[in-house]
Amino acid sequence: MKKLLSHISIIAANLIWGLYATICKDFLYSGYVSSWALCGIKMMGGAVLLWGLSALLPASVAPREHVRTRDLPKLFLASMLINAGNQSCIIFGLKYTSPVSATVICSMAPIFTVVLAMILYRQPLRPVKAIGVCIGFVGALLLAVPDILTAGGTANTLMVGDKPLLGNALVIASQIFGALYLLLFTDLFTKYSAVTLVKWLFMLSALVLAPITAYDIIQTNWTTLSTSHWIQLGYIVVFATGIAYLLLIIGQKKVTATSIAMYNYVQPVTATISSVAIGIVTITTQDLLAVLLCLAGVYIVIRR
């Protein structure tokens, strides 16, 4: 039963993140809140929420650990990569590209990690994994090309973004930041629990982004936001930040790393269905081929 609940937790987290891409895109498209303001609110709100939840959760889920002073510089650098870098690039990327493109690129995280491990640590790349990397790369190119070719003045294009190449590049940068975090800070993963790491990473990122984003937050006319916009903002901060991360942490205890990577496929599927449902994007045959190639590439890379 515990293993089943772990799998359900991982699937639920990916469903939340898949919907997050569509909701975040729609929220940014409204134009009431800037990308910088949303980055600051997400980090600060996430920090408050995660520290609050960790204090309420039992010690079996959120251990009461003391972070050593000498580890703070390393935690700070890690937070700059995985939160300030990874999360901010995704938000800015969603401003310019479609939720479908963004989530497919995010699902390719294992490919970026394998390639960077080969570059940084000269880890050998087996022929089968090399094929997977190439297939995923071709899929990513096909994913970007239709957006570039169809960039125009229609309402649908405006929702997708008028600079899809820039948006996709930012999302790719976010995945490079995430891969570097996984490769460079493995000692932190063994030293501290996932809850301790996540809440500290969000707090340190919030301290950095607070002064950077303060002007945009103050300049935002919050009275112009409708009820639906407040619901979207609440979803971004509460569900896509706090609850999704906690679900992932709970699920990680009983689910293998390979299974977790496979469940990432839920994100682009969810983003595609929700984006088509509200009219943000129209899926073409080339889009479907690109998605299949990207996911096939990831599958080949992560399989044993």
Side-chain angles (χ1 to χ4, degrees), residues 51-63:
W51 275 85
L53 288 174
S54 66
L56 297 174
L57 290 170
S60 58
V61 177

Side-chain angles (χ1 to χ4, degrees), residues 13-35:
N14 281 286
L15 282 170
I16 290 171
W17 283 322
L19 285 173
Y20 160 70
T22 303
I23 290 171
C24 185
K25 176 69 182 181
D26 192 48
F27 182 76
L28 289 170
Y29 177 67
S30 69
Y32 295 117
V33 180
S34 70
S35 298

Side-chain angles (χ1 to χ4, degrees), residues 61-268:
V61 177
R64 276 50 172 174
E65 296 174 304
H66 174 71
V67 172
R68 298 175 183 176
T69 304
R70 66 170 179 265
D71 286 330
L72 288 177
K74 190 173 289 188
L75 278 168
F76 175 79
L77 291 174
S79 72
M80 293 301 97
L81 286 175
I82 195 61
N83 280 355
N86 175 275
Q87 294 294 315
S88 297
C89 280
I90 289 175
I91 289 174
F92 275 91
L94 279 168
K95 180 179 179 180
Y96 298 114
T97 192
S98 75
V100 178
S101 297
T103 51
V104 170
I105 293 171
C106 287
S107 71
M108 295 171 65
I111 292 179
F112 292 105
T113 305
V114 166
V115 172
L116 285 174
M118 180 184 66
I119 296 171
L120 295 176
Y121 301 121
R122 298 189 178 182
Q123 290 184 5
L125 187 62
R126 301 205 318 265
V128 174
K129 289 188 182 291
I131 292 171
V133 170
C134 291
I135 290 173
F137 180 72
V138 171
L141 284 177
L142 283 175
L143 198 65
V145 168
D147 289 340
I148 296 170
L149 294 177
T150 58
T154 65
N156 183 265
T157 300
L158 290 172
M159 281 291 279
V160 171
D162 58 349
K163 298 178 182 177
L165 186 59
L166 173 60
N168 290 338
L170 285 167
V171 180
I172 288 172
S174 78
Q175 297 312 295
I176 292 173
F177 285 135
L180 287 171
Y181 163 74
L182 292 174
L183 293 170
L184 298 176
F185 299 102
T186 52
D187 58 324
L188 291 177
F189 307 151
T190 56
K191 191 177 292 186
Y192 300 109
S193 69
V195 173
T196 299
L197 276 179
V198 170
K199 70 180 186 181
W200 272 90
L201 293 174
F202 265 91
M203 184 183 73
L204 292 171
S205 296
L207 291 174
V208 171
L209 286 176
I212 295 173
T213 61
Y215 177 81
D216 283 71
I217 293 173
I218 293 170
Q219 290 298 309
T220 301
N221 186 358
W222 298 101
T223 59
T224 60
L225 268 66
S226 65
T227 302
S228 63
H229 290 135
W230 282 109
I231 292 172
Q232 288 179 325
L233 183 59
Y235 182 93
I236 291 168
V237 175
V238 177
F239 285 92
T241 305
I243 293 176
Y245 276 102
L246 287 176
L247 286 171
L248 182 65
I249 290 166
I250 293 169
Q252 283 176 331
K253 294 182 178 181
K254 299 288 182 180
V255 181
T256 64
T258 303
S259 295
I260 291 172
M262 291 297 293
Y263 283 139
N264 283 343
Y265 289 178
V266 172
Q267 291 185 43

